[in-house]
Amino acid sequence: MINQHELLTTAARLLVDVHCVVVFTGAGVSAESGVGTFRDALTGLWSRFDPQQLASQEGFAADPGLVWRWYIERLTTIENARPNRGHEALAAMEKIIPEFVLVTQNVDDLHERAGNRHVLHLHGHIGRFRCNGCGAAYSLRAGDREALMPPCCTICTGYVRPAVVWFGEMLPEQELFEAWGAAERCDVMLVVGASGVVYPAAQLPAVAQRHGACIIEVNLEESALSELADITLIGPSGEILPRLLDAMYACEAKSAFR
Ligand code: BJW
Ligand code: ZN
């Protein structure tokens, strides 16, 4: 039986030997920054609610105030959060891998704040807003955060909502196109903290594999994607990714002396 240390070294060797790496992240990568994941039971005030219901047009139509307050509270948590060691390790990897694309399902900006440059957000941005009716872009104004209801659009009177992708909505075309292209040409896909149950994003590892990429997974536990992964590293990404980065530096140092 191969132990975790050997798996980590094999994964690091793969990552330094190839040209193009796509990192695909989910909520788990931000968990150690204090940002709750989607499928963990919601805590506190929100424990009674189903995120699948809140993150939908139906949920918003049924109770726009509830959905607004849920997003404002999550936005505040994210604004006060800091990138963790997992985010930092991914930013360092971007500097040493020739072609590096980070595709995230996360609506937070912790990858950018950690220093990653080439980031594609498949499910939008929690810090941006638009009208649910006509799509006009909005910024938060004084009082919007404390309001019990979302603001109304000055053009069409529709409700303003976060610029995220809800269930049943299309993913942003350009990001999806670029992410698919990157998955098709990458040599390795590193999947971090993603449950792999939300589509079409969850198809990306299979797309990469079909085009010949190796799949390395980092997760607290086995996920829906573990079966197709070539290597699964079990543990918190805030610990595993820095160790993977150190192992990559060690591989590079060895190659330099060859
Ligand atoms: C750690 C860790 C640590 C914890 N270290 N790891 C094909 C088949 C079946 C259904 C569909 C299908 N195609 C489309 C659908 C429908 C639907 C869908 O996928 N449903 C499934 C749930 C069944 N998809 C859609 O509706 C998508 N749109 C679409 O397909 O449009 C086309 C269309 C339109 C109209 C009609 C028909 C077709 C849109 C999906 C949008 C998803 N949006 C959300 C909300 C975003 C806004 C917000 O944040 O509020 O995106 S849902 C939510 O799930 C969020 C996440 O990005 C997404 C994925 O979750 P993620 O990131 O994987 O998080 P978790 O919580 O699930 O998992 C965390 C993982 O981390 C776990 O594995 C932990 O173990 C791990 N972990 N701590 C490492 N420290
Ligand atoms: Zn409008």
Side-chain angles (χ1 to χ4, degrees):
M1 177 115 159
I2 306 175
N3 65 33
Q4 175 100 344
H5 176 74
E6 284 171 279
L7 284 178
L8 197 107
T9 312
T10 308
R13 162 68 49 215
L14 271 171
L15 287 164
V16 295
D17 279 350
V18 299
H19 177 80
C20 178
V21 173
V22 170
V23 176
F24 173 54
T25 65
V29 78
S30 296
E32 289 154 84
S33 294
V35 180
T37 66
F38 236 80
R39 268 145 214 89
D40 285 346
L42 293 183
T43 49
L45 213 60
W46 303 105
S47 52
R48 289 181 297 121
F49 301 101
D50 173 7
Q52 203 147 320
Q53 176 61 21
L54 292 171
S56 70
Q57 280 294 348
E58 295 72 31
F60 193 50
D63 196 338
L66 178 76
V67 172
W68 179 255
R69 294 193 298 279
W70 184 52
Y71 276 100
I72 291 295
E73 186 173 312
R74 288 175 56 209
L75 173 62
T76 307
T77 301
I78 287 165
E79 285 169 341
N80 292 328
R82 287 170 42 170
N84 63 54
R85 293 184 65 222
H87 294 109
E88 284 162 8
L90 293 176
M93 283 182 200
E94 181 163 351
K95 295 201 170 83
I96 57 172
I97 291 169
E99 190 183 348
F100 182 100
V101 183
L102 198 155
V103 180
T104 187
Q105 298 171 92
N106 298 345
V107 295
D108 66 51
D109 59 353
L110 292 169
H111 287 305
E112 287 88 343
R113 282 201 263 149
N116 279 111
R117 293 280 162 260
H118 196 173
V119 184
L120 300 172
H121 283 266
L122 292 183
H123 293 162
H125 302 264
I126 198 168
R128 298 181 193 172
F129 296 85
R130 65 177 158 82
C131 170
N132 196 39
C134 70
Y138 279 88
S139 318
L140 287 184
R141 291 162 315 176
D144 286 345
R145 285 173 185 265
E146 296 73 32
L148 296 179
M149 289 294 283
C152 286
C153 175
T154 51
I155 303 162
C156 77
T157 74
Y159 282 127
V160 172
R161 55 165 282 184
V164 298
V165 182
W166 284 336
F167 285 108
E169 295 183 330
M170 303 301 278
L171 275 63
E173 213 174 306
Q174 185 60 27
E175 278 81 353
L176 198 56
F177 176 78
E178 285 184 38
W180 235 254
E184 286 174 359
R185 70 175 182 278
C186 71
D187 306 300
V188 173
M189 180 173 280
L190 175 60
V191 182
V192 184
S195 58
V197 297
V198 176
Y199 289 84
Q203 280 174 319
L204 277 178
V207 169
Q209 188 165 59
R210 246 194 338 266
H211 285 79
C214 280
I215 312 297
I216 303 169
E217 180 186 35
V218 176
N219 200 303
L220 263 191
E221 56 191 34
E222 292 218 338
S223 76
L225 300 168
S226 300
E227 215 160 84
L228 64 75
D230 298 286
I231 297 177
T232 294
L233 301 167
I234 296 286
S237 50
E239 289 176 25
I240 301 277
L241 292 174
R243 283 173 52 206
L244 189 57
L245 177 68
D246 283 345
M248 287 170 69
Y249 287 142
C251 286
E252 280 203 322
K254 263 193 214 153
S255 310
F257 285 111
R258 251 191 238 143

